[in-house]
């Protein structure tokens, strides 16, 4: 399957916006369901996890905090920008 100009532009735009979001948000706090899902998939117990925060008085309502590295946002911004520039350099689909 060959990607055309519009698909490259869309993928680049999505990656660029994801990178911008990672640059402006310093941490993501998962809800209890997502935390439990990740703990089950990784085989990690809630007591052994170092990045759990307890915002309520009950220990069952622990939330995991994800802090992406700073370089990840810059990397996604760079890749998205290159994809957008590549899309703009390609010829239009269906055009002469």
């Amino acid at each position: 399957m060959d990607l055309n100009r519009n698909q490259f532009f869309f993928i680049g735009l999505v990656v660029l916006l994801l990178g911008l979001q990672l640059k402006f948000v310093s941490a993501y706090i998962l809800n209890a369901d997502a935390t439990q899902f990740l703990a089950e998939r990784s085989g990690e117990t809630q007591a052994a996890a170092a990045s759990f925060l307890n915002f309520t008085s009950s220990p069952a309502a622990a939330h995991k905090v994800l802090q992406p590295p700073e370089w990840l946002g810059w990397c996604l911004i760079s890749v998205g920008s290159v994809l957008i520039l590549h899309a703009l350099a390609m010829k239009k689909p269906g055009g002469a």
Side-chain angles (χ1 to χ4, degrees), residues 15-16 19 23 69-82:
V15 171
L16 176 73
K23 284 302 299 168
E70 184 179 345
W71 59 265
L72 185 60
W74 287 115
C75 179
L76 291 176
I77 290 170
S78 300
V79 170
S81 300
V82 168

Side-chain angles (χ1 to χ4, degrees), residues 29-40:
I29 302 174
L30 302 180
N31 63 8
D33 294 333
T35 302
Q36 182 181 5
F37 177 79
L38 286 177
E40 289 172 358

Side-chain angles (χ1 to χ4, degrees), residues 3-63:
L3 296 176
N4 63 20
R5 177 183 180 172
N6 297 335
Q7 292 166 332
F8 268 109
F9 188 80
F10 178 71
I11 293 169
L13 192 63
V14 168
V15 171
L16 176 73
L17 292 175
L18 183 62
L20 287 173
Q21 181 178 0
L22 286 174
K23 284 302 299 168
F24 289 119
V25 178
S26 61
Y28 296 93
I29 302 174
L30 302 180
N31 63 8
D33 294 333
T35 302
Q36 182 181 5
F37 177 79
L38 286 177
E40 289 172 358
R41 297 298 183 267
S42 66
E44 178 178 271
T45 62
Q46 287 187 356
S51 62
F52 284 132
L53 290 178
N54 193 1
F55 292 111
T56 62
S57 60
S58 67
H63 298 277

